[in-house]
Every structure is written in C-alpha cells, then in structure tokens.
Amino acid sequence: HELGHAWLGFEDLYLFKGGFPLGIWDTMSNSGTEFSGWSRFLAGWIEPNWVRCANPRTPTRHYLSPLNADKSDDKPRMLVLPLTSQSAIIAELRTPTVWQTAVKSPTLVVYRVETGIDHGNGPISLVGTTDQPGGTLTSDGVKITIKGINASGVIVDISN
C-alpha cells in the first residue's frame, strides 16, 4: 500500500472516516494484494487493446480474460461502461493466484469509478462480485450477467 503511494503516486481508496468501499480488490483500498484494473490502467500497465469500452445503454456481449493473464494473452481484460464524463462502471475477472489467496474461484468483480470524488471519500466503490453463470450485478440501471465463466475467461451480457 505505501509503495503504491511512494512509487506510483496512488491515492487512498478507503474512507478516511472508516470503511473500505472497494474491499480486497485493490491494494490501495484495504488489505488487497493486487491492484484493480483501474489502478493498473492509471499506472500504464494495461495495453489499450486490453480495455473494452461499451455503451452501457446498448445490449452487448463481451469476453474478458483474467486481469492477471499472461502478457501473451492479448484479449480484453477490463470492460468500461461510461456513465458520465466523470463516472464509469468497470468489470474485470479475477482468478486465484499466489498473491490473491482470497479468491477461491474465477470471480467477476464490478465496481464504479467516480473521478470527481476525492480520495478518502470513496472514488471507487464495489458494486459486487459473482462467480456463477447467470450471476447478475446491477448499478445505475445497467445489468451485467455472466453467461459463462472459468479460469480462462468470462462472457458477460450487458443490458438495461
């Protein structure tokens, strides 16, 4: 966590008044052992073709590789659904690793980024997680449903 501040200039993602809106899903939030896709994007660790952007109001289907996939896996790893000029819903797949021991099975993680909110006030908040086909997470009228999931990737449908 402190290395994230010193080395990368990252801000705290926890609430100064107490609480961890992104939970274990980012080192800058709580006791997470990996950075979220958003933090990796800010650090320049995400290749442009690893980010899939889509209109959250148009029904679509997307495939995502695990966020921590090998660099040779040149498929999308993050789905960004812009809501406004300062907010977006992000979906990414997490798989068990030696660093991410809290993850027991491939898990879709969905969170909301609000760039207009200062650090310490929850600029990133967890919408939810699911690891089952048919599992659905909803935020701001946008529904994300898993159609298929395994350690190689996840297929999600976006609908309203």
Side-chain angles (χ1 to χ4, degrees):
H1 176 93
E2 297 307 324
L3 189 59
H5 290 306
W7 179 39
L8 300 167
F10 286 158
E11 296 180 335
D12 292 311
L13 297 180
Y14 57 82
L15 299 174
F16 289 162
K17 293 182 179 182
F20 305 97
L22 194 52
I24 65 165
W25 302 108
D26 194 297
T27 300
M28 301 312 292
S29 176
N30 187 7
S31 58
T33 55
E34 291 189 286
F35 290 107
S36 66
W38 185 257
S39 290
R40 293 174 192 213
F41 174 76
L42 293 176
W45 298 340
I46 297 283
E47 298 292 329
N49 57 318
W50 294 353
V51 179
R52 164 114 1 139
C53 292
N55 182 336
R57 306 294 174 215
T58 302
T60 52
R61 179 170 281 180
H62 305 273
Y63 173 84
L64 298 173
S65 289
L67 182 62
N68 58 353
D70 185 85
K71 193 166 177 98
S72 65
D73 184 349
D74 206 25
K75 297 178 186 84
R77 299 169 192 223
M78 286 177 61
L79 176 60
V80 179
L81 303 165
L83 300 170
T84 69
S85 63
Q86 292 188 324
S87 65
I89 297 169
I90 312 291
E92 60 192 47
L93 178 64
R94 298 293 187 93
T95 55
T97 68
V98 296
W99 302 109
Q100 190 65 276
T101 57
V103 177
K104 303 301 181 199
S105 62
T107 302
L108 182 70
V109 178
V110 177
Y111 52 95
R112 183 184 167 116
V113 175
E114 292 274 351
T115 61
I117 295 177
D118 290 334
H119 80 114
N121 292 316
I124 301 179
S125 57
L126 184 66
V127 171
T129 64
T130 184
D131 62 357
Q132 299 295 315
T136 299
L137 299 166
T138 303
S139 178
D140 298 275
V142 178
K143 186 163 74 169
I144 302 171
T145 304
I146 293 179
K147 300 311 280 182
I149 186 169
N150 62 34
S152 298
V154 63
I155 298 171
V156 296
D157 279 350
I158 307 304
S159 62
N160 301 53

